[in-house]
Amino acid sequence: MSTNAKRDIFANLARIGTALSSPTRIEFLELLAQTERSVEQLATLTGATVANTSQHLQKLRQAGLITGRKQGLYVFYRLAGDEVVGLLSALGHVGETYLAEVERIVRLYLAQKDNLEPVPARELLARARRGLVTVLDVRPPEEYGAGHLPERSTSRSTSLKSGSRSCPSGARSSPTAAAHTA
């Protein structure tokens, strides 16, 4: 530790910046924001090797962004706290605001969503309680297992087609459902 406390703080903050300097590590953080995952699960989801995934996770852990727990032969990782989600959100917002390429990609991605209406989670829940919408949760099983809307009936189905019999007639559908939190 140097005699300059300000420099020491900046040096430690730079460790976080270094951890965020890899697109793969940012993708790992995004996946861990959804639910706790093992090294092997992250490798499978991203197409990285287990060895490479493990190295990236060590950098994130050293920066204090994730924590791990050992269960048998496996290590499961999760975000260190909600502040990491805020950091990812701020990073995305800065990218959209100040990097033309990020803004262009986001605009093109959202344009492909047709006329979907972004709805805050509370509003979506209120609409569902009033029977104004039917929410189809099409997340992968790992994400579904991490949590879902409270007080809602659930019907697990291996495909949308087999679960479509329970949809109200005349209901509008889309291939994905997303709620933006307020």
Side-chain angles (χ1 to χ4, degrees):
M1 187 150 119
S2 73
T3 57
N4 187 337
K6 192 175 184 181
R7 234 179 233 285
D8 289 339
I9 291 170
F10 291 154
N12 281 289
L13 290 176
R15 289 175 42 209
I16 295 171
T18 300
L20 295 175
S21 68
S22 163
T24 301
R25 289 194 289 268
I26 294 172
E27 183 177 8
F28 289 153
L29 290 174
E30 191 266 333
L31 289 167
L32 293 172
Q34 298 165 2
T35 189
E36 179 182 72
R37 297 181 194 273
S38 70
V39 175
E40 292 75 13
Q41 288 171 327
L42 289 167
T44 299
L45 289 168
T46 60
T49 65
V50 171
N52 194 309
T53 298
S54 185
Q55 289 175 355
H56 282 299
L57 292 171
Q58 287 312 308
K59 290 199 183 292
L60 291 170
R61 191 176 200 173
Q62 291 165 359
L65 298 174
I66 63 172
T67 62
R69 68 173 179 84
K70 191 150 173 87
Q71 183 176 333
L73 300 175
Y74 299 97
V75 178
F76 289 85
Y77 289 93
R78 68 174 154 273
L79 296 183
D82 291 338
E83 297 81 6
V84 180
V85 175
L87 176 63
L88 289 172
S89 178
L91 184 63
H93 181 71
V94 168
E96 279 183 59
T97 303
Y98 298 106
L99 296 175
E101 184 62 13
V102 172
E103 189 275 334
R104 185 188 71 77
I105 293 168
V106 168
R107 190 172 12 88
L108 289 172
Y109 174 75
L110 292 177
Q112 295 173 2
K113 298 286 187 186
D114 298 324
N115 293 323
L116 296 180
E117 173 189 4
V119 179
R122 286 188 183 146
E123 175 63 20
L124 180 63
L125 186 56
R127 289 181 188 184
R129 285 183 176 146
R130 292 193 311 259
L132 298 175
V133 297
T134 299
V135 178
L136 297 177
D137 189 340
V138 295
R139 295 176 293 170
E142 307 85 38
E143 288 179 42
Y144 177 85
H148 55 276
L149 289 174
E151 303 174 15
R152 303 314 311 159
S153 62
T154 59
S155 172
R156 297 191 75 187
S157 165
T158 56
S159 74
L160 286 176
K161 185 174 182 175
S162 65
S164 65
R165 284 176 291 219
S166 61
C167 291
S169 63
R172 288 179 30 201
S173 64
S174 67
T176 62
H180 296 270
T181 56

